[in-house]
């Protein structure tokens, strides 16, 4: 199994890394799994077509020092065996589906239960665990992965074409464009990018002192198995309220087990893309801003991480990273009052994310 090279911060090492990455592409060509690098100035990102996964994001801090700011593994074996979904593109339906089933047009669909009695992130072998095709790649601009999901895959109806384009925009922005087209049957589609961020560096401890602002005044509350009750709840003045920027850890102890909840994004303007979040880390000075066209964002503080062996010998503990998974609402297929995720043949699902990185 080819190793995904551990990131190092010295420029010379970066060069050897790029060459190594190229070798990996060649040596893994048989199986079709490779590493794809996007680079502009001192911004470097790595992806693999295994799960359309984001492997690393290297950013300068306020002094120009480079660090990899997302959690991940050193080897493909790590990604194949994981239960963390580090950096992966999850689907066909991200998040949970209660009781691993739903009914569409009078037909009951049974799905694999991989999270207690529920389905999580597309089932046992979701889009995060399949090899995608590389449709287009230019290290200076973009990489596009595509996947054709088959009728009945993980229990879902109909053949489905899926694509994700990761693209550099301007000097310091990453655009992510996910698209999907049902080819013959209506089907639910809800894709999400499951990146774990730690702006001080992936191996720098917890994210509790990161400050976050979330442009959302409501959540979809869940039961003890993290399945939505169907309610929509105003969270102003509660520990879930991040309308004003504050440290993630400032009220986290008032919750049973960290943040793992869908926020309903406020409509702050008529722009096509809504503001989702601003995250700041004061030691490095790094800041991440996120916009999206999606109705919700799952805010997850990696509550389930427990001594996970990661890149370069890192051991990721609880709260080592934070996820901002823009998406539709969890378990929408079983909640008629939530925005529908059903896409019909002839329609196209479109999910846009735009990140801006500054320091
Ligand atoms: C696979 O994952 C399990 C638990 O998630 C872990 O105990 C085991 O060491 C992993 N195996 C490999 C080869 O990484
Ligand atoms: C799954 O459902 C069964 C039947 O309702 C129940 O007895 C069991 O405790 C559930 N399992 C989990 C892990 O929730
Ligand atoms: C950047 O690296 C230099 C040299 O190691 C160090 O003195 C400085 O504190 C670093 N900057 C930050 C923001 O960590």
């Amino acid at each position: 199994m080819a190793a995904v090279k551990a990131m190092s911060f010295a420029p010379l090492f970066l060069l050897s890394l790029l060459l190594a990455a190229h070798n990996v592409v060649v040596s893994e060509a048989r199986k079709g799994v490779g590493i794809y690098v996007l680079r502009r100035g001192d911004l470097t990102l790595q992806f693999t077509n295994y799960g359309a996964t984001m492997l690393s994001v290297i950013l300068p801090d306020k002094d120009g020092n480079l660090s990899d700011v997302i959690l991940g593994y050193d080897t493909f074996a790590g990604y194949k065996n994981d239960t963390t979904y580090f950096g992966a593109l999850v689907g066909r339906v991200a998040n949970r589906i209660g009781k691993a089933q739903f009914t569409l047009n009078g037909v009951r669909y049974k799905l694999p239960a991989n999270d207690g009695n529920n389905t999580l992130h597309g089932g046992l072998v979701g889009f995060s665990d399949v090899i995608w095709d590389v449709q287009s790649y230019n290290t200076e601009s973009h990489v596009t992965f595509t996947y054709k999901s088959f009728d009945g895959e993980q229990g879902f109806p109909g053949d489905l074409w899926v694509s994700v384009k990761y693209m550099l925009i301007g000097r310091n922005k990453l655009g992510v464009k996910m698209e999907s087209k049902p080819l013959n049957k209506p089907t639910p589609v809800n894709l999400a990018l499951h990146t774990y961020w730690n702006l001080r560096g992936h191996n720098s401890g917890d994210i509790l002192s990161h400050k976050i602002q979330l442009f959302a005044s409501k959540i979809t509350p869940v039961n003890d198995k993290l399945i939505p009750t169907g309610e929509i709840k105003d969270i102003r003045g509660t520990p879930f309220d991040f309308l004003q920027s504050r440290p993630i850890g400032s009220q986290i102890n008032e919750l049973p087990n960290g943040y793992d909840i869908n926020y309903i994004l406020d409509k702050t303007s008529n722009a096509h893309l809504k503001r989702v979040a601003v995250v700041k880390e004061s030691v490095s000075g790094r800041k991440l801003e996120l916009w999206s066209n999606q109705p919700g964002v799952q805010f997850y503080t990696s509550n389930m991480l427990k001594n996970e062996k990661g890149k370069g010998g890192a051991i990721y503990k609880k709260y080592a990273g934070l996820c901002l998974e823009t998406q539709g609402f969890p378990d929408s297929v079983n909640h008629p009052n939530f925005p529908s995720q059903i896409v019909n043949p002839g329609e196209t699902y479109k999910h846009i994310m735009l990140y801006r990185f500054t320091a």
Side-chain angles (χ1 to χ4, degrees), residues 58-318:
I58 298 179
L59 298 178
D61 66 13
K62 61 188 176 190
D63 294 333
N65 303 328
L66 301 176
S67 299
D68 184 354
V69 297
I70 69 171
L71 278 54
Y73 300 102
D74 277 333
T75 63
F76 284 121
Y79 286 95
K80 282 179 181 161
N81 184 46
D82 78 340
T83 54
T84 61
Y85 302 89
F86 281 163
L89 200 295
V90 296
R92 182 181 297 204
V93 176
N95 218 312
R96 288 176 177 79
I97 294 181
K99 302 199 172 95
Q101 59 185 3
F102 65 96
T103 301
L104 177 57
N105 299 332
V107 180
R108 171 137 300 215
Y109 293 94
K110 296 286 249 175
L111 311 171
N114 61 333
D115 184 62
N117 290 326
N118 307 312
T119 302
L120 176 63
H121 294 332
L124 289 168
V125 186
F127 294 173
S128 49
D129 277 309
V130 297
I131 297 175
W132 295 53
D133 292 321
V134 183
Q135 190 196 60
S136 172
Y137 172 48
N138 180 331
T139 191
E140 291 173 5
S141 60
H142 73 279
V143 60
T144 305
F145 302 125
T146 60
Y147 179 65
K148 181 147 169 260
S149 175
F150 57 87
D151 185 12
E153 185 172 354
Q154 298 297 303
F156 290 103
D159 296 318
L160 183 74
W161 176 87
V162 193
S163 82
V164 56
K165 180 177 187 181
Y166 294 106
M167 58 197 139
L168 297 172
I169 301 170
R171 194 174 47 82
N172 58 2
K173 293 195 270 304
L174 171 71
V176 184
K177 184 166 86 174
M178 301 169 226
E179 288 191 333
S180 189
K181 290 181 183 160
L183 300 179
N184 37 44
K185 291 182 187 169
T187 179
V189 179
N190 184 36
L191 306 178
L193 184 56
H194 210 301
T195 317
Y196 289 63
W197 300 93
N198 187 322
L199 295 181
R200 196 169 171 188
H202 76 96
N203 191 15
S204 67
D206 68 55
I207 45 74
L208 298 178
S209 64
H210 284 50
K211 282 187 171 174
I212 191 165
Q213 182 175 21
L214 280 171
F215 298 89
S217 44
K218 296 188 179 75
I219 58 166
T220 51
V222 289
N223 66 20
D224 63 343
K225 300 286 186 286
L226 298 173
I227 302 299
T229 59
E231 296 162 86
I232 289 180
K233 196 172 159 201
D234 197 297
I235 46 78
R236 279 172 282 200
T238 75
F240 291 99
D241 183 345
F242 287 101
L243 287 160
Q244 307 292 321
S245 181
R246 66 179 169 91
I248 290 173
S250 54
Q251 288 184 278
I252 202 166
N253 291 333
E254 296 173 40
L255 306 175
N257 187 24
Y259 295 92
D260 191 0
I261 192 80
N262 171 58
Y263 282 80
I264 301 175
L265 292 168
D266 291 338
K267 197 168 163 53
T268 46
S269 76
N270 286 323
H272 175 55
L273 294 183
K274 287 182 265 199
R275 298 196 81 176
V276 177
V278 179
V279 186
K280 290 184 213 163
E281 198 285 309
S282 63
V283 177
S284 64
R286 292 193 184 94
K287 176 163 110 173
L288 174 160
E289 294 164 275
L290 176 61
W291 291 260
S292 177
N293 67 345
Q294 291 296 290
V297 61
Q298 186 83 13
F299 176 46
Y300 174 54
T301 45
S302 56
N303 317 321
M304 293 167 208
L305 284 184
K306 219 163 106 188
N307 296 326
E308 186 79 12
K309 291 193 185 76
K311 297 176 197 176
I315 304 288
Y316 303 129
K317 298 198 160 94
K318 188 174 184 178

Side-chain angles (χ1 to χ4, degrees), residues 38-54:
L38 299 185
R39 248 178 105 148
R40 186 164 295 174
D42 45 17
L43 174 64
T44 306
L45 302 99
Q46 285 190 310
F47 301 87
T48 175
N49 55 324
Y50 182 81
T53 302
M54 199 184 236

Side-chain angles (χ1 to χ4, degrees), residues 11-37:
L12 259 184
F13 230 93
L14 217 52
L15 185 64
S16 64
L17 174 84
L18 292 180
L19 297 173
H22 181 69
N23 288 339
V24 171
V25 173
V26 172
S27 66
E28 285 283 302
R30 207 164 23 97
K31 289 198 211 77
V33 174
I35 296 178
Y36 299 87
V37 183

